[in-house]
Amino acid sequence: MGTDRVALPMHSRRVLAYLSLDKGSEPDCDRGLLAERLWPDATVDRSRASLRTALWRIRQASPVLVHGAGGRVRLADGVAVDVHDFRRSAERVLAEQRDCARDRQRLLARTTDLLPGWDETWLLLAREQLRQLRLHALEVEARRLAERGCYPEAIDVMLAVVAEEPLRESAQAALIEAHLCEGNVVEARRQFTRFAELLWTELSIRPSPELCGRVGAVPVPPPRPVDRQVAPGGRVLLPRMGA
């Protein structure tokens, strides 16, 4: 396909987005299912009419974007989808044992969600799957870098991940492990302390015993509730110091 920009109304862009994501698993899509997914609150007739209008708009703008036959519609074979290329980069990082510097940089460069601002129900699962795939691939790449002794690169990767997902313990653990492997125990303990404080502030939970043990920290049990007694007149009596 060429690189010319094609202006489309929102309902046509929704059709293209759905077909682009669906092409990763199916070569084409049933028209009825597509209309139902994109216009779930409309009647069958109305949703199919909306789909026909959206497809007509797409063909008017560019006749080579979509093809349809026999009640099925699909994205044209020559249309490149950046999400599919991005997914392949993440899958290569997970599968390869060698350095994947180009794919790693591509994963690091993408910091926004898939189609930000869209609140389509059909999009939520694809968006979360892509986000988790990216984070998991970056964690694997960071651990692989650390195993090869590339500690600065591993730390840079994990700092980017924890900046986006500070409560993700697997990412925090990979970052702390890279600090320890590099011999920076103080940095590892400092990172652990920041994570533990954030975890308690946000979720009122502690880091896992495994992570605590890795940095030599003793798991701290949650504080016991204060034993309060109510005196006559409604005054609250707190325990005496040392009691």
Side-chain angles (χ1 to χ4, degrees), residues 175-196:
L175 175 57
I176 290 168
E177 187 68 28
H179 281 310
L180 290 173
C181 290
E182 197 176 25
N184 291 325
V185 178
V186 173
E187 286 293 341
R189 289 297 297 265
R190 184 182 291 122
Q191 187 66 36
F192 171 82
T193 300
R194 282 195 294 259
F195 173 56

Side-chain angles (χ1 to χ4, degrees), residues 17-202:
Y18 189 96
L19 292 176
S20 296
L21 294 176
D22 192 56
K23 191 177 181 180
S25 56
E26 297 289 340
D28 56 13
C29 182
D30 177 77
R31 282 176 175 263
L33 175 63
L34 180 58
E36 179 185 339
R37 291 285 174 83
L38 295 182
W39 290 276
D41 298 326
T43 63
V44 172
D45 290 341
R46 183 61 182 168
S47 64
R48 295 197 177 201
S50 296
L51 176 60
R52 286 194 298 271
T53 301
L55 290 172
W56 179 82
R57 293 274 190 179
I58 293 171
R59 293 189 179 106
Q60 287 294 109
S62 176
V64 296
L65 282 175
V66 295
H67 297 301
R72 312 285 293 183
V73 62
R74 64 181 176 85
L75 199 67
D77 293 335
V79 178
V81 181
D82 59 350
V83 173
H84 297 169
D85 294 337
F86 185 83
R87 178 178 287 276
R88 283 191 287 269
S89 290
E91 290 171 348
R92 279 194 298 268
V93 169
L94 291 171
E96 297 287 346
Q97 295 302 315
R98 57 182 177 81
D99 186 25
C100 299
R102 178 176 297 181
D103 290 319
R104 178 171 72 247
Q105 291 304 318
R106 187 173 190 183
L107 297 180
L108 286 170
R110 187 188 184 107
T111 58
T112 58
D113 285 332
L114 175 64
L115 295 175
W118 290 35
D119 59 355
E120 310 284 343
T121 302
W122 53 266
L123 177 62
L124 299 180
L125 179 60
R127 177 183 289 160
E128 183 61 16
Q129 286 176 332
L130 194 66
R131 189 182 74 88
Q132 290 293 336
L133 177 64
R134 172 180 175 272
L135 294 174
H136 183 55
L138 287 173
E139 288 181 23
V140 168
E141 179 70 354
R143 294 183 185 278
R144 189 180 296 142
L145 287 167
E147 289 172 359
R148 293 201 297 267
C150 303
Y151 303 121
E153 292 89 343
I155 290 171
D156 283 345
V157 171
M158 293 323 302
L159 282 173
V161 174
V162 300
E164 293 180 40
E165 296 292 334
L167 297 176
R168 188 178 177 92
E169 182 164 320
S170 58
Q172 292 280 358
L175 175 57
I176 290 168
E177 187 68 28
H179 281 310
L180 290 173
C181 290
E182 197 176 25
N184 291 325
V185 178
V186 173
E187 286 293 341
R189 289 297 297 265
R190 184 182 291 122
Q191 187 66 36
F192 171 82
T193 300
R194 282 195 294 259
F195 173 56
E197 291 174 351
L198 180 64
L199 201 59
W200 181 253
T201 300
E202 296 292 331

